[in-house]
């Protein structure tokens, strides 16, 4: 009798486990979130699956925290993590992904530019056999100074990574939860999630989505993000191509230095034997010797990349709906 009761409890708990997890980083988006959640909830209820909404409040300076606290009291599906400082979108996604329990995880922005009505299309596409489905803002409602550099950025990234996408930077994505287990983001690497997963062998697809203009607030990113993006692209290429064999990259550079230094010093030696002396005070000899020393040192550099869980050390407080009459946890 006890065993049967325990089995019943297990079945009930299993049925209540979310099938979908919606992860939304938020920074100074109080007005947008108030309008987003009724539309988002309506779509998820009509979809007919158990779901959870995980909000990462990333150190906002407006009243976003107060708005979200009100939401978690009114809706048992909502959880909130309140970061104590603004840690950036990559770390916010790290935290959200680590808390997600659904088999399918969807990330979206809280600025009303991502349309919740697209969620069923993401779910359908990922259930057709993909590990990551990323959105493509085909008709983008942003100013020209953002769209033109973005097109160039996407073309360069597609060429260098080997994965052709129109919109690497789109924050509206769907993932199989298993694909996120080994993903660690820092800096601005959230822009390169498709590249990171593609290089690990996961199947990536892209679907065109509706994009809305920003109504409230202002963009958190300026033109400088493209410079950071280029540097992060170099990081991605290193992590994906040379993570397990860094000496193939650094050693190649060292061999070039050794070769150049050897040629220079050989040339200086020939001059010495031909009677062109002294050579010890010549800058060219110093350059050759320096290149040889640097070239040798590259073979002794220890490279340690990609293994630290950078999100683990970030402080934050997790909030879930209160039991009746209880305190917020």
């Amino acid at each position: 009798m006890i065993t049967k009761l325990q089995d019943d409890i297990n079945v009930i708990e299993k049925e209540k486990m979310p099938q979908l997890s919606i992860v939304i980083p938020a920074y100074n988006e109080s007005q947008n979130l108030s309008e987003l959640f009724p539309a988002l909830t309506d779509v998820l209820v009509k979809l007919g699956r158990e779901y959870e909404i995980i909000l990462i409040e990333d150190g906002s300076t407006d009243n976003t925290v107060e708005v979200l606290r009100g939401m978690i009291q009114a809706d048992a599906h909502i959880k909130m993590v309140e970061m104590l400082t603004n840690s950036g979108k990559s770390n916010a996604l790290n935290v959200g992904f680590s808390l997600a329990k659904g088999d399918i995880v969807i990330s979206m922005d809280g600025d009303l530019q991502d349309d919740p009505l697209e969620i069923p299309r993401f779910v359908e596409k990922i259930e057709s056999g993909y590990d990551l489905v990323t959105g493509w803002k085909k008709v983008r409602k942003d100013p020209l100074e953002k769209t033109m550099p973005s097109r160039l950025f996407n073309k360069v990234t597609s060429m260098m990574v080997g994965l052709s996408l129109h919109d690497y930077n789109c924050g509206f994505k769907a993932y199989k939860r298993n694909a996120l287990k080994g993903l660690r983001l820092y800096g601005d690497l959230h822009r390169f999630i498709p590249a990171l997963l593609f290089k690990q062998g996961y199947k990536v697809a892209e679907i065109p989505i509706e994009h809305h203009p920003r109504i409230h607030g202002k963009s958190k990113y300026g033109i400088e993000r493209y410079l950071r993006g280029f540097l992060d692209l170099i990081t991605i290429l290193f992590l994906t191509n040379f993570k397990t064999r860094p000496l193939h990259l650094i050693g190649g550079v060292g061999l070039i230095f050794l070769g150049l230094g050897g040629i220079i010093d050989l040339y200086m030696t020939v001059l010495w034997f031909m009677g062109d002396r002294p050579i010890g005070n010549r800058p060219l000899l110093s350059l050759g010797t320096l290149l040889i020393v640097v070239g040798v040192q590259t073979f002794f550099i220890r490279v340690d990349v990609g293994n630290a869980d950078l999100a683990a050390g970030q402080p934050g407080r997790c909030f879930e709906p209160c039991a009746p009459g209880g305190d917020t946890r």
Side-chain angles (χ1 to χ4, degrees):
M1 184 67 180
I2 296 176
T3 303
K4 181 63 171 63
L5 180 60
Q6 185 64 42
D7 289 342
D8 289 343
I9 293 173
N10 288 338
V11 169
I12 293 172
E13 288 180 348
K14 185 175 181 181
E15 288 177 350
K16 289 186 178 181
M17 283 292 289
Q19 298 167 292
L20 288 176
S21 296
I22 314 297
V23 176
I24 305 177
Y27 178 66
N28 291 345
E29 299 286 5
S30 57
Q31 290 180 288
N32 292 316
L33 291 171
S34 298
E35 297 180 27
L36 171 64
F37 271 85
L40 176 60
T41 301
D42 184 61
V43 169
L44 294 174
V45 169
K46 289 180 179 178
L47 199 57
R49 305 192 186 198
E50 288 293 330
Y51 68 91
E52 63 178 356
I53 301 173
I54 303 172
L55 290 153
I56 313 300
E57 198 293 301
D58 196 20
S60 297
T61 56
D62 64 357
N63 64 331
T64 297
V65 174
E66 288 72 21
V67 170
L68 295 183
R69 285 178 176 173
M71 289 179 179
I72 65 174
Q73 294 296 327
D75 191 338
H77 294 93
I78 300 175
K79 299 177 181 178
M80 179 181 76
V81 176
E82 181 184 343
M83 307 304 290
L84 302 184
T85 60
N86 178 237
S87 60
K89 188 172 182 178
S90 287
N91 189 61
L93 288 173
N94 266 336
V95 173
F97 291 158
S98 69
L99 294 174
K101 298 177 182 177
D103 295 327
I104 297 174
V105 180
I106 294 176
S107 65
M108 62 185 301
D109 293 334
D111 57 8
L112 290 179
Q113 292 192 272
D114 294 337
D115 195 330
L117 291 173
E118 301 288 356
I119 289 176
R121 295 181 58 235
F122 275 103
V123 172
E124 180 182 4
K125 188 69 174 179
I126 206 162
E127 288 184 337
S128 69
Y130 292 96
D131 302 298
L132 164 63
V133 179
T134 184
W136 169 26
K137 301 183 287 284
K138 190 172 183 178
V139 181
R140 189 169 174 178
K141 304 297 177 63
D142 283 322
L144 191 64
E145 62 268 20
K146 291 185 68 175
T147 57
M148 290 302 293
S150 180
R151 289 175 185 173
L152 176 62
F153 172 79
N154 285 308
K155 287 183 178 180
V156 171
T157 303
S158 295
M159 180 180 64
M160 297 187 72
V161 171
L163 173 65
S164 180
L165 294 177
H166 296 89
D167 197 351
Y168 269 87
N169 194 41
C170 181
F172 208 172
K173 294 180 173 70
Y175 318 77
K176 286 184 179 176
R177 185 159 59 95
N178 287 340
L180 296 172
K181 288 183 177 179
L183 189 66
R184 294 293 179 269
L185 304 174
Y186 53 91
D188 285 343
L189 293 190
H190 61 274
R191 309 182 194 283
F192 298 97
I193 291 176
L196 289 168
L197 294 185
F198 172 73
K199 288 291 187 176
Q200 293 178 38
Y202 292 106
K203 294 179 65 176
V204 179
E206 184 178 53
I207 58 172
I209 59 172
E210 183 76 18
H211 186 241
H212 299 292
R214 175 180 274 274
I215 300 174
H216 306 296
K218 60 181 181 179
S219 174
K220 312 301 185 299
Y221 303 101
I223 195 69
E224 72 280 355
R225 69 174 177 167
Y226 295 107
L227 174 60
R228 297 199 305 268
F230 173 76
L231 297 176
D232 284 329
L233 178 58
I234 302 296
T235 303
I236 289 296
L237 294 175
F238 179 81
L239 290 175
T240 56
N241 295 330
F242 299 100
K243 179 178 179 179
T244 57
R245 46 190 178 93
L247 201 60
H248 287 204
L249 175 65
I250 298 173
V253 175
L255 287 175
I256 292 174
F257 284 178
L258 277 173
L260 290 175
I263 291 171
I264 292 172
D265 282 1
L266 178 62
Y267 169 71
M268 299 305 296
T269 302
V270 171
L271 290 182
W272 188 86
F273 277 110
M274 293 176 64
D276 189 357
R277 305 170 186 171
I279 62 172
N281 58 351
R282 295 191 180 187
L284 193 59
L285 179 65
S286 300
L287 175 62
T289 304
L290 176 63
L291 288 173
I292 290 174
V293 171
V294 172
V296 171
Q297 285 183 334
T298 59
F299 290 95
F300 297 94
I301 295 176
R302 178 178 180 271
V303 180
D304 186 12
V305 294
N307 294 321
D309 186 351
L310 299 179
Q314 294 292 334
R317 293 173 289 183
C318 189
F319 295 82
E320 296 184 3
C322 294
D327 296 329
T328 303
R329 299 191 299 275

